[in-house]
Amino acid sequence: MLKASVIGATGYAGVELCRILLTHPQANIHRLSSVSFTGKAISEVYPALRGLCDERLVSEDEAIDGADVVFASLPAGLSEPIARKCLQAGALFIDLGADFRLHDPDTYESWYQKKYEDPELHGQAVYALPELFREEIEGARLIGNPGCYPTSVALGLAPALKGGLIGSEDLIIDAKSGATGAGRGLSQTTHFCECNEGFAPYKVACHRHTPEIEQTLSILAGEPAAVTFVPHLLPVSRGIVSTIYAKLKGGASLPEVRQRYLDFYESAPFVRVLPEGEVSNLRNVRCSNYCDISLHLDAHTGRLIVVSAIDNMVKGAAGQAVQNMNIALGLDETAGLLFVPPAI
Amino acid sequence: MLKASVIGATGYAGVELCRILLTHPQANIHRLSSVSFTGKAISEVYPALRGLCDERLVSEDEAIDGADVVFASLPAGLSEPIARKCLQAGALFIDLGADFRLHDPDTYESWYQKKYEDPELHGQAVYALPELFREEIEGARLIGNPGCYPTSVALGLAPALKGGLIGSEDLIIDAKSGATGAGRGLSQTTHFCECNEGFAPYKVACHRHTPEIEQTLSILAGEPAAVTFVPHLLPVSRGIVSTIYAKLKGGASLPEVRQRYLDFYESAPFVRVLPEGEVSNLRNVRCSNYCDISLHLDAHTGRLIVVSAIDNMVKGAAGQAVQNMNIALGLDETAGLLFVPPAI
Amino acid sequence: MLKASVIGATGYAGVELCRILLTHPQANIHRLSSVSFTGKAISEVYPALRGLCDERLVSEDEAIDGADVVFASLPAGLSEPIARKCLQAGALFIDLGADFRLHDPDTYESWYQKKYEDPELHGQAVYALPELFREEIEGARLIGNPGCYPTSVALGLAPALKGGLIGSEDLIIDAKSGATGAGRGLSQTTHFCECNEGFAPYKVACHRHTPEIEQTLSILAGEPAAVTFVPHLLPVSRGIVSTIYAKLKGGASLPEVRQRYLDFYESAPFVRVLPEGEVSNLRNVRCSNYCDISLHLDAHTGRLIVVSAIDNMVKGAAGQAVQNMNIALGLDETAGLLFVPPAI
Amino acid sequence: MLKASVIGATGYAGVELCRILLTHPQANIHRLSSVSFTGKAISEVYPALRGLCDERLVSEDEAIDGADVVFASLPAGLSEPIARKCLQAGALFIDLGADFRLHDPDTYESWYQKKYEDPELHGQAVYALPELFREEIEGARLIGNPGCYPTSVALGLAPALKGGLIGSEDLIIDAKSGATGAGRGLSQTTHFCECNEGFAPYKVACHRHTPEIEQTLSILAGEPAAVTFVPHLLPVSRGIVSTIYAKLKGGASLPEVRQRYLDFYESAPFVRVLPEGEVSNLRNVRCSNYCDISLHLDAHTGRLIVVSAIDNMVKGAAGQAVQNMNIALGLDETAGLLFVPPAI
């Protein structure tokens, strides 16, 4: 069994990693680290885990020591030293944060007000969206796990962009995320009484996931892509729905577009292209690693509308990280990830 | 005191009309009608009203008889005969349904699969969005009260469209509504267990409010407008947020755009143009007749993003109907409508 | 018009007071104070109030200066000096906190770990549950506004206890409150992601409202009452439902019990005793000053079950405070309080 | 692999059975039946299952044919003929409905207004609460799976009742259930807009689970037990919390009581007795087969308070049914049931 450690295990993505690793057939939880709760059992912080995972929280270094795989889910700017230690120790490092996602150091600096200290390290990192970059992930040792919004958007647009069905300019992404996306930290925005029965956009056209989205879309399109990206906070715990608007080029019909998507995702076990007439609903992907994609045509205005739904905590974070671990280490891509989403 | 009747009083918009009329300083509830609950007290159907409104539900004809104002909130196709009876009886008729909103009979027929039986009658009807068409409403006797989505969109775009700041083509409206928008009728979609913790679009690019939206935007722009309109169902009870994307023409700055909005709505008591940097949140307009509008610029792509929030049951239905009654009959526009939205 | 100030205006009870005072026919908001937000407008803290109340937040002393009535909603232990200043300034003081509720200084000390510094001051205070102690409230100058749970329980039991229908020992109160009861302060418990889709008791049999409940029930029963009180946190914003279990003494039938309640509350405008067969639901009292009471008999075990529902923010705090102001100053008891609860 | 069929597969308990069986290591879904959706794929009814379970829905007889195990989740009164067919066909039959739970035919008749047509059949049925009646379940062929409320109550009280720590009279059960408990059928009560932000009891002291609760408690106590049982509807999808009040006999301390619970459930893999000071929260058992029990003492009144939390769809229905299948057929009790509840 692989020994997997989680750094930042008491954050929401961290504890979701624990949930997934607990039933992974080829990996065990090695150690869990936390700065705020060192010494406590993780099940004291998350009583849902009582009896299933009563591991004591240790320091970062203890977590790395002896691990085959190290996952880190930390605020921006903290992952470089951990990555170095893991590489030295021969462990696969998978970063769920933002530090190894952007290829261009200047873009990182301008959006995160931090610098890449060790550019050479970043040269080894793979941006690991498995459905698009599987080959680069195989055998990788340093993995930047994509952001939640960028995952939903890239999967929603890849077949159309790559196939030239739509242009790469004039893309509008209206995204909606559940409150786990804002993390475990306390804020007025996620106070129950201020989130419940509310709905609003935030960071309108200035969210940090914008450059990450554009990076991937540009690769797919083979030319610079520019998006208008507006995230909103949904009063639900989990899930992202991205509604994406693009101008259709050429006269592809909806069945033709859909066929391209089916072909593109033929060997992608976690993408479900829905039948015509259905819509992606975040209910249907909760607690699962699926990305549901529904396709719609506004004949009236010649627009393709793509609705992409994922669980931000799974396909948008912890599940995708485990999928990346599986691919990097040559395991079955779906190992430990075939949870059935609750129908209700 | 004016005598006001409500036909279809046990639907969600109907009972919201009751709530508003109960504290209106110049109108009393005359009679309430319901097909399904005739003979029962409305407070048996909605126990929140116990002791405040225990009126027995009567037939449509009894409701019209003796009324100064008649509101009807009914499914499409049922309002023409009521309108005629009201006009004959000398009562102001305000239709909250869709039967008097569309000017073009063919458009109505193609979206509603019903015909205007009495075209002459429709010639007398006023499409009553007070902030845009106040003068036509003054003295009107037959009023088509706008739909909820069209209200949020028209108010969100009017100053920009009318001022030529944006084009009328290439408008994208990503709208989200609480579940009261689907009405009191039972359906799997609004079963608690299937709506709760879910989120999805519906009627993608084919919702019946599309032609109503385009009708108003075309008038404002002075040329045919075409929109891509995608509504979504939010797991909250009340409220609509429309996030609207438009290409800016010319080089207006955000403060300039905002000033246009402030000027345009200078004498509109129910529109609040938010300070720069704030976002419209449906929490802040719940149970009130306000429309909150926030303005945002995506400098990157040259897009204006307008976020418009209303309570679908108030400014999107019953509140606007009372506002129209006030204007039509020469009362103070805000009479009975100055509820303070709960801050929490 | 009376000049009313609110100290602690940015807490949830404070801002609810603002909402109510804004439409009170005989009182105006004089000044609002806040320690954390001095200098800001209250509508910056609560954007729902924009345009309706843009009052700047001032210091406590400024709020008292020139006021006819001062409301304070503060953590325990801070109200004594304010009360003294108000009495000196000739203002009516209404404390929404816990400092003037308990008659016995030792009980206060043992539950709050604080002392009554000025016992003479407490001698002037009235525990102001209007339906039970109206006469003492008339003309009072120093008012302890009851807690939310104690209000729901005392109103639920008063007719039965006072009429000797039930005993005062062996009372079980299973209470459930919405999250506003926990206040605006941040905590993991009221983080959206940890409250949403959750439900649990808290402070089991050790909540600070226990002695306040027992104090009132003892007065009503004419002998010491002892209760088992277990509060729970509901994943809703507003409202309390208390389900109360008592042994019936003698053989009163349910209609007889109900008649006692009807008689007892005959002249209480804010208590609604429901028809037999209906149940109190917090939906029906939201945003209103009503207390709904339903009565049930378990013939099987001889128990009376009383279900009492209030809005914790209104009848459980700000609404009752205004009701007390009305009574103390000789206004109509219902002035400013006749909001219609939204049926939906 | 065992071949397991589900009759009534499109109800909420039925589809939850599908979710569980899909990952069971020793059972496969054989056939699924539904009266309303025959011919459709279950994933058309529940799109969450798309790609995971696209089984077509068949008739009841087809479902039984060739099955090793048949689960039925149907309204009361429909299970007898199915049970007979299964016994004849040599299949284990597990009824999730109410038809094989009550031992006394008169009790069944008086609460369900139906008769046991085939008393001999009922003689073979086992009331299958595994933690209490494991031995009877081993080798059983006809199983009555307990109701959701009765499961939470019996597990919450068993160690105390059996150990004589509390009396069997004077038990009060204040229970709260999520909306899945009301099933998939449409009703105004579970309309999103009427359940959301609401809370109320229902069937006060007259719920059909009362005799089932009393039957088990009487067996445990060795004398007739009488309970006051009041269920409430929570605005969440899943989960039950039962808060149970009992008079302590003798002077057991809380640690002593807790030790009895720990001993009693020593070999029960799905019961977690929480540490002193913690409370059972339905969040922590969602989507899992756990029952969390917290124990509290009201020293003041000498009452033991037990808080028992389960997922009504899992330990309260489908999970327990699979646990019973495992035990009846000699599999590992936990096979297919070790889901980790989502911590968030």
mmCIF file with all atom_site columns, all heavy atoms in Angstrom, chain D residues 167-185:
data_model
loop_
_atom_site.group_PDB
_atom_site.id
_atom_site.type_symbol
_atom_site.label_atom_id
_atom_site.label_alt_id
_atom_site.label_comp_id
_atom_site.label_asym_id
_atom_site.label_entity_id
_atom_site.label_seq_id
_atom_site.pdbx_PDB_ins_code
_atom_site.Cartn_x
_atom_site.Cartn_y
_atom_site.Cartn_z
_atom_site.occupancy
_atom_site.B_iso_or_equiv
_atom_site.pdbx_formal_charge
_atom_site.auth_seq_id
_atom_site.auth_comp_id
_atom_site.auth_asym_id
_atom_site.auth_atom_id
_atom_site.pdbx_PDB_model_num
ATOM 1   N N   . GLY D 1 167 ? -36.526 4.006  33.965 1.00 0.00 ? 167 GLY D N   1
ATOM 2   C CA  . GLY D 1 167 ? -37.807 3.325  33.933 1.00 0.00 ? 167 GLY D CA  1
ATOM 3   C C   . GLY D 1 167 ? -38.375 3.286  32.532 1.00 0.00 ? 167 GLY D C   1
ATOM 4   O O   . GLY D 1 167 ? -37.913 4.007  31.635 1.00 0.00 ? 167 GLY D O   1
ATOM 5   N N   . SER D 1 168 ? -39.360 2.465  32.318 1.00 0.00 ? 168 SER D N   1
ATOM 6   C CA  . SER D 1 168 ? -39.920 2.316  30.969 1.00 0.00 ? 168 SER D CA  1
ATOM 7   C C   . SER D 1 168 ? -41.180 3.152  30.786 1.00 0.00 ? 168 SER D C   1
ATOM 8   O O   . SER D 1 168 ? -41.714 3.266  29.706 1.00 0.00 ? 168 SER D O   1
ATOM 9   C CB  . SER D 1 168 ? -40.228 0.850  30.687 1.00 0.00 ? 168 SER D CB  1
ATOM 10  O OG  . SER D 1 168 ? -41.185 0.389  31.622 1.00 0.00 ? 168 SER D OG  1
ATOM 11  N N   . GLU D 1 169 ? -41.673 3.703  31.870 1.00 0.00 ? 169 GLU D N   1
ATOM 12  C CA  . GLU D 1 169 ? -42.790 4.638  31.742 1.00 0.00 ? 169 GLU D CA  1
ATOM 13  C C   . GLU D 1 169 ? -42.148 6.022  31.650 1.00 0.00 ? 169 GLU D C   1
ATOM 14  O O   . GLU D 1 169 ? -40.952 6.165  31.872 1.00 0.00 ? 169 GLU D O   1
ATOM 15  C CB  . GLU D 1 169 ? -43.726 4.507  32.935 1.00 0.00 ? 169 GLU D CB  1
ATOM 16  C CG  . GLU D 1 169 ? -43.240 5.124  34.241 1.00 0.00 ? 169 GLU D CG  1
ATOM 17  C CD  . GLU D 1 169 ? -41.934 4.488  34.753 1.00 0.00 ? 169 GLU D CD  1
ATOM 18  O OE1 . GLU D 1 169 ? -41.535 3.372  34.303 1.00 0.00 ? 169 GLU D OE1 1
ATOM 19  O OE2 . GLU D 1 169 ? -41.289 5.137  35.569 1.00 0.00 ? 169 GLU D OE2 1
ATOM 20  N N   . ASP D 1 170 ? -42.899 7.028  31.325 1.00 0.00 ? 170 ASP D N   1
ATOM 21  C CA  . ASP D 1 170 ? -42.417 8.402  31.418 1.00 0.00 ? 170 ASP D CA  1
ATOM 22  C C   . ASP D 1 170 ? -41.246 8.681  30.475 1.00 0.00 ? 170 ASP D C   1
ATOM 23  O O   . ASP D 1 170 ? -40.311 9.410  30.813 1.00 0.00 ? 170 ASP D O   1
ATOM 24  C CB  . ASP D 1 170 ? -41.996 8.669  32.879 1.00 0.00 ? 170 ASP D CB  1
ATOM 25  C CG  . ASP D 1 170 ? -42.008 10.162 33.177 1.00 0.00 ? 170 ASP D CG  1
ATOM 26  O OD1 . ASP D 1 170 ? -42.786 10.884 32.537 1.00 0.00 ? 170 ASP D OD1 1
ATOM 27  O OD2 . ASP D 1 170 ? -41.226 10.601 34.023 1.00 0.00 ? 170 ASP D OD2 1
ATOM 28  N N   . LEU D 1 171 ? -41.303 8.093  29.302 1.00 0.00 ? 171 LEU D N   1
ATOM 29  C CA  . LEU D 1 171 ? -40.261 8.358  28.309 1.00 0.00 ? 171 LEU D CA  1
ATOM 30  C C   . LEU D 1 171 ? -40.798 9.366  27.302 1.00 0.00 ? 171 LEU D C   1
ATOM 31  O O   . LEU D 1 171 ? -41.900 9.186  26.780 1.00 0.00 ? 171 LEU D O   1
ATOM 32  C CB  . LEU D 1 171 ? -39.871 7.068  27.587 1.00 0.00 ? 171 LEU D CB  1
ATOM 33  C CG  . LEU D 1 171 ? -39.195 6.013  28.470 1.00 0.00 ? 171 LEU D CG  1
ATOM 34  C CD1 . LEU D 1 171 ? -39.133 4.673  27.758 1.00 0.00 ? 171 LEU D CD1 1
ATOM 35  C CD2 . LEU D 1 171 ? -37.786 6.485  28.833 1.00 0.00 ? 171 LEU D CD2 1
ATOM 36  N N   . ILE D 1 172 ? -40.003 10.383 27.053 1.00 0.00 ? 172 ILE D N   1
ATOM 37  C CA  . ILE D 1 172 ? -40.426 11.399 26.095 1.00 0.00 ? 172 ILE D CA  1
ATOM 38  C C   . ILE D 1 172 ? -39.430 11.448 24.952 1.00 0.00 ? 172 ILE D C   1
ATOM 39  O O   . ILE D 1 172 ? -38.220 11.531 25.181 1.00 0.00 ? 172 ILE D O   1
ATOM 40  C CB  . ILE D 1 172 ? -40.541 12.762 26.787 1.00 0.00 ? 172 ILE D CB  1
ATOM 41  C CG1 . ILE D 1 172 ? -41.752 12.714 27.718 1.00 0.00 ? 172 ILE D CG1 1
ATOM 42  C CG2 . ILE D 1 172 ? -40.682 13.877 25.773 1.00 0.00 ? 172 ILE D CG2 1
ATOM 43  C CD1 . ILE D 1 172 ? -41.899 13.926 28.565 1.00 0.00 ? 172 ILE D CD1 1
ATOM 44  N N   . ILE D 1 173 ? -39.957 11.358 23.741 1.00 0.00 ? 173 ILE D N   1
ATOM 45  C CA  . ILE D 1 173 ? -39.095 11.336 22.560 1.00 0.00 ? 173 ILE D CA  1
ATOM 46  C C   . ILE D 1 173 ? -39.463 12.505 21.666 1.00 0.00 ? 173 ILE D C   1
ATOM 47  O O   . ILE D 1 173 ? -40.553 12.549 21.095 1.00 0.00 ? 173 ILE D O   1
ATOM 48  C CB  . ILE D 1 173 ? -39.287 10.017 21.784 1.00 0.00 ? 173 ILE D CB  1
ATOM 49  C CG1 . ILE D 1 173 ? -38.926 8.838  22.695 1.00 0.00 ? 173 ILE D CG1 1
ATOM 50  C CG2 . ILE D 1 173 ? -38.429 10.024 20.520 1.00 0.00 ? 173 ILE D CG2 1
ATOM 51  C CD1 . ILE D 1 173 ? -39.639 7.572  22.303 1.00 0.00 ? 173 ILE D CD1 1
ATOM 52  N N   . ASP D 1 174 ? -38.548 13.445 21.580 1.00 0.00 ? 174 ASP D N   1
ATOM 53  C CA  . ASP D 1 174 ? -38.744 14.594 20.705 1.00 0.00 ? 174 ASP D CA  1
ATOM 54  C C   . ASP D 1 174 ? -37.824 14.356 19.511 1.00 0.00 ? 174 ASP D C   1
ATOM 55  O O   . ASP D 1 174 ? -36.605 14.499 19.612 1.00 0.00 ? 174 ASP D O   1
ATOM 56  C CB  . ASP D 1 174 ? -38.383 15.873 21.458 1.00 0.00 ? 174 ASP D CB  1
ATOM 57  C CG  . ASP D 1 174 ? -38.836 17.114 20.718 1.00 0.00 ? 174 ASP D CG  1
ATOM 58  O OD1 . ASP D 1 174 ? -38.151 17.481 19.740 1.00 0.00 ? 174 ASP D OD1 1
ATOM 59  O OD2 . ASP D 1 174 ? -39.843 17.703 21.087 1.00 0.00 ? 174 ASP D OD2 1
ATOM 60  N N   . ALA D 1 175 ? -38.414 13.988 18.370 1.00 0.00 ? 175 ALA D N   1
ATOM 61  C CA  . ALA D 1 175 ? -37.618 13.555 17.227 1.00 0.00 ? 175 ALA D CA  1
ATOM 62  C C   . ALA D 1 175 ? -37.745 14.544 16.078 1.00 0.00 ? 175 ALA D C   1
ATOM 63  O O   . ALA D 1 175 ? -38.783 15.206 15.926 1.00 0.00 ? 175 ALA D O   1
ATOM 64  C CB  . ALA D 1 175 ? -38.059 12.169 16.777 1.00 0.00 ? 175 ALA D CB  1
ATOM 65  N N   . LYS D 1 176 ? -36.675 14.661 15.291 1.00 0.00 ? 176 LYS D N   1
ATOM 66  C CA  . LYS D 1 176 ? -36.651 15.614 14.178 1.00 0.00 ? 176 LYS D CA  1
ATOM 67  C C   . LYS D 1 176 ? -36.074 14.893 12.970 1.00 0.00 ? 176 LYS D C   1
ATOM 68  O O   . LYS D 1 176 ? -34.983 14.332 13.050 1.00 0.00 ? 176 LYS D O   1
ATOM 69  C CB  . LYS D 1 176 ? -35.755 16.809 14.509 1.00 0.00 ? 176 LYS D CB  1
ATOM 70  C CG  . LYS D 1 176 ? -36.134 17.581 15.765 1.00 0.00 ? 176 LYS D CG  1
ATOM 71  C CD  . LYS D 1 176 ? -35.455 17.037 17.032 1.00 0.00 ? 176 LYS D CD  1
ATOM 72  C CE  . LYS D 1 176 ? -35.789 17.837 18.272 1.00 0.00 ? 176 LYS D CE  1
ATOM 73  N NZ  . LYS D 1 176 ? -35.305 17.160 19.513 1.00 0.00 ? 176 LYS D NZ  1
ATOM 74  N N   . SER D 1 177 ? -36.794 14.959 11.858 1.00 0.00 ? 177 SER D N   1
ATOM 75  C CA  . SER D 1 177 ? -36.351 14.232 10.662 1.00 0.00 ? 177 SER D CA  1
ATOM 76  C C   . SER D 1 177 ? -36.222 15.154 9.460  1.00 0.00 ? 177 SER D C   1
ATOM 77  O O   . SER D 1 177 ? -37.023 16.079 9.289  1.00 0.00 ? 177 SER D O   1
ATOM 78  C CB  . SER D 1 177 ? -37.354 13.136 10.320 1.00 0.00 ? 177 SER D CB  1
ATOM 79  O OG  . SER D 1 177 ? -37.040 12.544 9.067  1.00 0.00 ? 177 SER D OG  1
ATOM 80  N N   . GLY D 1 178 ? -35.258 14.870 8.622  1.00 0.00 ? 178 GLY D N   1
ATOM 81  C CA  . GLY D 1 178 ? -35.140 15.536 7.332  1.00 0.00 ? 178 GLY D CA  1
ATOM 82  C C   . GLY D 1 178 ? -36.274 15.130 6.404  1.00 0.00 ? 178 GLY D C   1
ATOM 83  O O   . GLY D 1 178 ? -36.992 14.153 6.641  1.00 0.00 ? 178 GLY D O   1
ATOM 84  N N   . ALA D 1 179 ? -36.406 15.869 5.297  1.00 0.00 ? 179 ALA D N   1
ATOM 85  C CA  . ALA D 1 179 ? -37.580 15.737 4.442  1.00 0.00 ? 179 ALA D CA  1
ATOM 86  C C   . ALA D 1 179 ? -37.610 14.462 3.615  1.00 0.00 ? 179 ALA D C   1
ATOM 87  O O   . ALA D 1 179 ? -38.676 14.067 3.127  1.00 0.00 ? 179 ALA D O   1
ATOM 88  C CB  . ALA D 1 179 ? -37.705 16.957 3.528  1.00 0.00 ? 179 ALA D CB  1
ATOM 89  N N   . THR D 1 180 ? -36.475 13.768 3.449  1.00 0.00 ? 180 THR D N   1
ATOM 90  C CA  . THR D 1 180 ? -36.545 12.495 2.726  1.00 0.00 ? 180 THR D CA  1
ATOM 91  C C   . THR D 1 180 ? -37.443 11.509 3.461  1.00 0.00 ? 180 THR D C   1
ATOM 92  O O   . THR D 1 180 ? -37.993 10.607 2.836  1.00 0.00 ? 180 THR D O   1
ATOM 93  C CB  . THR D 1 180 ? -35.154 11.848 2.541  1.00 0.00 ? 180 THR D CB  1
ATOM 94  O OG1 . THR D 1 180 ? -34.459 11.883 3.781  1.00 0.00 ? 180 THR D OG1 1
ATOM 95  C CG2 . THR D 1 180 ? -34.345 12.586 1.491  1.00 0.00 ? 180 THR D CG2 1
ATOM 96  N N   . GLY D 1 181 ? -37.576 11.693 4.769  1.00 0.00 ? 181 GLY D N   1
ATOM 97  C CA  . GLY D 1 181 ? -38.454 10.826 5.551  1.00 0.00 ? 181 GLY D CA  1
ATOM 98  C C   . GLY D 1 181 ? -39.885 10.826 5.035  1.00 0.00 ? 181 GLY D C   1
ATOM 99  O O   . GLY D 1 181 ? -40.612 9.855  5.206  1.00 0.00 ? 181 GLY D O   1
ATOM 100 N N   . ALA D 1 182 ? -40.280 11.913 4.392  1.00 0.00 ? 182 ALA D N   1
ATOM 101 C CA  . ALA D 1 182 ? -41.648 12.000 3.862  1.00 0.00 ? 182 ALA D CA  1
ATOM 102 C C   . ALA D 1 182 ? -41.766 11.388 2.475  1.00 0.00 ? 182 ALA D C   1
ATOM 103 O O   . ALA D 1 182 ? -42.859 11.304 1.921  1.00 0.00 ? 182 ALA D O   1
ATOM 104 C CB  . ALA D 1 182 ? -42.107 13.454 3.839  1.00 0.00 ? 182 ALA D CB  1
ATOM 105 N N   . GLY D 1 183 ? -40.651 10.965 1.911  1.00 0.00 ? 183 GLY D N   1
ATOM 106 C CA  . GLY D 1 183 ? -40.715 10.251 0.636  1.00 0.00 ? 183 GLY D CA  1
ATOM 107 C C   . GLY D 1 183 ? -40.737 11.161 -0.578 1.00 0.00 ? 183 GLY D C   1
ATOM 108 O O   . GLY D 1 183 ? -40.769 12.384 -0.477 1.00 0.00 ? 183 GLY D O   1
ATOM 109 N N   . ARG D 1 184 ? -40.737 10.505 -1.737 1.00 0.00 ? 184 ARG D N   1
ATOM 110 C CA  . ARG D 1 184 ? -40.631 11.191 -3.018 1.00 0.00 ? 184 ARG D CA  1
ATOM 111 C C   . ARG D 1 184 ? -41.963 11.779 -3.490 1.00 0.00 ? 184 ARG D C   1
ATOM 112 O O   . ARG D 1 184 ? -42.006 12.660 -4.339 1.00 0.00 ? 184 ARG D O   1
ATOM 113 C CB  . ARG D 1 184 ? -40.109 10.206 -4.069 1.00 0.00 ? 184 ARG D CB  1
ATOM 114 C CG  . ARG D 1 184 ? -39.796 10.815 -5.407 1.00 0.00 ? 184 ARG D CG  1
ATOM 115 C CD  . ARG D 1 184 ? -39.251 9.779  -6.378 1.00 0.00 ? 184 ARG D CD  1
ATOM 116 N NE  . ARG D 1 184 ? -38.744 10.422 -7.566 1.00 0.00 ? 184 ARG D NE  1
ATOM 117 C CZ  . ARG D 1 184 ? -39.467 10.686 -8.661 1.00 0.00 ? 184 ARG D CZ  1
ATOM 118 N NH1 . ARG D 1 184 ? -40.725 10.343 -8.725 1.00 0.00 ? 184 ARG D NH1 1
ATOM 119 N NH2 . ARG D 1 184 ? -38.913 11.297 -9.697 1.00 0.00 ? 184 ARG D NH2 1
ATOM 120 N N   . GLY D 1 185 ? -43.037 11.285 -2.947 1.00 0.00 ? 185 GLY D N   1
ATOM 121 C CA  . GLY D 1 185 ? -44.367 11.753 -3.359 1.00 0.00 ? 185 GLY D CA  1
ATOM 122 C C   . GLY D 1 185 ? -44.497 13.247 -3.127 1.00 0.00 ? 185 GLY D C   1
ATOM 123 O O   . GLY D 1 185 ? -43.855 13.813 -2.242 1.00 0.00 ? 185 GLY D O   1
#
